[in-house]
Amino acid sequence: MTAVDYPDLVVVGAGLFGLTVAQQAVEHAGARVHIIDVRDHIGGNAYSYMDEETGAEIHRYGAHLFHTSNKRVWDYVNRFTSFTNYVHRVWATHNGEVYPLPTNLGTINQFFRAHYTPDEARALIAEQAGELAGKDPENLNDKGISLIGRPLYEAFIKNYTAKQWQTDPAELPADIIKRLPVRFNYDNRYFRDTWEGLPTDGYTKWMERMIDDPKITVGLGVDFFDETQPYNKQALAEAGVPVVYTGPVDRYFDYELGDLKWRTVDFVERRYDEGDHFGCPVMNFSDADVPYTRAIEFKNFNPERRESQNPDKTVVWEEYSRFAERGDEPYYPVNTDADKALYAAYEAKAAAEPNTVFGGRLGTYKYYDMHQVIDTALTAYEEQVAPMLAK
């Protein structure tokens, strides 16, 4: 392909940020857009596929649950998919017993073998959290105790967090947790957003509809940094083609200032000769003697599909957390003070990069839920991409 064949916009990364910007560029500017992704599928970490044996929709990169209180985002996504009435609820196994999460009046009464009223439970937690009253928490351990008291913190948070971070919470900074939700009623709905659900036909169908336009083309298995293919960083810069980049910001600059640190997740698949293993979509394991943080049973996200699912088989993924290395899938920014300072330096370089907009989790070193990615993409199109296309 020669330079004259380049489209009006190249989007690097086929995740929700890139797909949203591409869709908006076609709709509002009539632009020709080419999307490239090093993976073999669109959808980024929200990609899902059907498991033939069980009939379950597998979320390849871990459970993805759509929820939002942002009407602009809700109206936008409903252009491409309808949603089920799924409401996310989580359960946790502790000392061989299953409790509802987030911590609510049901959790409290079950844990303390009591029948507290909301006011009585509120007073109990305040008393237990007062153990460190007047002290500035020096670490995550102290912060957790000061928020919900030692008994509940040690039962449901301490060991789970240690597995998440592979670090004793006493050695983690207090500011990792801002708050720990405690509800003094029996509401165990995990999210508190106005709208919630799962895409009726699955995540991949939703993403496909977003870019179902002849002006949008997609190249999969394409590496932006591979100079043997035409949509590479140097060639696009020389041709003056506007680029929306959603890959790791440190990779864009060849790690010249250092590596930003991330957490990643490994999954171990288990298959069971039974229709339902846990009876819920997500089961947390709060104790140190279970090496994984949680297990995901995908069939239970879609009870409305029971007729098309195998009644005698189910699949479960166990989730193990660790520090990411180069080549791993980055999930959660570590965000130490050093990381924040390093990102600020990369952010300054990104701001000076001509014809390039950085977005998404990887491009901005932020953890986003799906609705936040879409919202930032809509704003980025309006404020940054549209002006580039108008030149």
Side-chain angles (χ1 to χ4, degrees):
M1 178 175 281
T2 62
V4 296
D5 295 318
Y6 281 124
D8 302 308
L9 177 68
V10 170
V11 174
V12 181
L16 271 171
F17 189 97
L19 298 181
T20 300
V21 170
Q23 186 279 326
Q24 291 283 284
V26 170
E27 179 174 346
H28 297 293
R32 292 182 303 117
V33 183
H34 187 66
I35 304 170
I36 63 171
D37 199 300
V38 73
R39 291 171 169 173
D40 62 359
H41 59 77
I42 67 167
N45 281 10
Y47 169 74
S48 66
Y49 63 91
M50 298 304 294
D51 179 70
E52 291 185 5
E53 182 184 44
T54 63
E57 180 184 347
I58 305 293
H59 304 181
R60 182 186 286 187
Y61 303 95
H64 276 68
L65 309 159
F66 193 82
H67 55 96
T68 187
S69 294
N70 185 324
K71 189 174 187 303
R72 175 172 77 153
V73 170
W74 182 243
D75 289 345
Y76 179 74
V77 299
N78 272 273
R79 294 174 54 188
F80 311 105
T81 182
S82 58
F83 287 85
T84 69
N85 60 3
Y86 176 79
V87 173
H88 191 50
R89 292 180 169 87
V90 173
W91 306 86
T93 297
H94 167 63
N95 281 349
E97 192 169 344
V98 176
Y99 296 83
L101 289 182
T103 302
N104 59 70
L105 193 56
T107 319
I108 294 167
N109 278 331
Q110 182 180 348
F111 184 80
F112 291 107
R113 297 293 188 267
H115 49 85
Y116 294 118
T117 66
D119 283 349
E120 289 170 340
R122 192 175 283 106
L124 172 72
I125 300 306
E127 178 185 353
Q128 293 176 344
E131 175 185 335
L132 297 174
K135 297 182 180 178
D136 191 23
E138 297 180 0
N139 53 56
L140 188 150
N141 210 58
D142 290 351
K143 182 68 174 287
I145 293 169
S146 72
L147 289 172
I148 63 171
R150 185 180 296 274
L152 291 172
Y153 166 75
E154 292 188 345
F156 299 110
I157 307 299
K158 180 179 180 179
N159 293 316
Y160 189 93
T161 302
K163 290 187 287 187
Q164 271 190 316
W165 288 89
Q166 295 175 295
T167 306
D168 186 328
E171 298 174 11
L172 290 169
D175 64 4
I176 286 180
I177 51 172
K178 306 298 182 186
R179 58 185 293 272
L180 289 171
V182 178
R183 299 176 188 164
F184 297 103
N185 56 30
Y186 291 96
D187 177 12
N188 69 334
R189 177 180 172 182
Y190 196 78
F191 302 117
R192 306 298 289 271
D193 284 301
T194 305
W195 299 285
E196 179 177 359
L198 296 172
T200 305
D201 301 321
Y203 279 101
T204 301
K205 290 290 187 185
W206 166 14
M207 313 294 173
E208 288 172 348
R209 292 188 191 114
M210 291 180 71
I211 55 171
D212 183 16
D213 191 289
K215 289 187 175 181
I216 299 177
T217 54
V218 179
L220 299 176
V222 177
D223 186 349
F224 180 57
F225 302 101
D226 176 6
E227 295 186 1
T228 67
Q229 60 85 23
Y231 296 97
N232 68 76
K233 177 184 174 183
Q234 181 175 340
L236 292 171
E238 290 174 354
V241 178
V243 170
V244 172
Y245 176 79
T246 68
V249 62
D250 50 358
R251 174 68 183 95
Y252 183 93
F253 295 104
D254 200 24
Y255 306 103
E256 63 182 68
L257 303 179
D259 290 38
L260 291 165
K261 294 183 176 59
W262 293 81
R263 300 287 298 169
T264 191
V265 177
D266 296 321
F267 300 101
V268 174
E269 182 176 284
R270 309 287 183 194
R271 291 181 178 266
Y272 298 95
D273 294 327
E274 49 191 298
D276 193 349
H277 186 69
F278 284 115
C280 62
V282 177
M283 178 67 73
N284 284 9
F285 289 87
S286 303
D287 300 333
D289 59 353
V290 178
Y292 46 94
T293 54
R294 63 180 185 171
I296 305 165
E297 187 165 9
F298 294 100
K299 285 174 70 174
N300 289 324
F301 286 127
N302 298 103
E304 77 282 357
R305 299 179 187 167
R306 285 298 183 205
E307 290 186 5
S308 63
Q309 295 174 345
N310 188 334
D312 303 313
K313 300 280 187 179
T314 192
V315 57
V316 170
W317 282 17
E318 298 166 354
E319 192 170 303
Y320 298 77
S321 177
R322 62 178 172 83
F323 285 101
E325 300 176 359
R326 282 193 197 179
D328 289 328
E329 295 290 350
Y331 281 80
Y332 309 103
V334 173
N335 262 338
T336 62
D337 289 342
D339 286 309
K340 292 174 183 176
L342 179 57
Y343 171 65
Y346 276 124
E347 186 179 28
K349 289 178 69 67
E353 196 71 7
N355 275 344
T356 304
V357 173
F358 292 75
R361 294 179 311 113
L362 305 181
T364 60
Y365 195 61
K366 290 181 177 65
Y367 178 76
Y368 286 125
D369 286 331
M370 286 182 286
H371 67 283
Q372 295 168 321
V373 172
I374 294 167
D375 189 48
T376 57
L378 291 171
T379 299
Y381 174 76
E382 294 168 355
E383 297 182 355
Q384 296 174 273
V385 180
M388 283 198 311
L389 294 175
K391 290 180 180 177

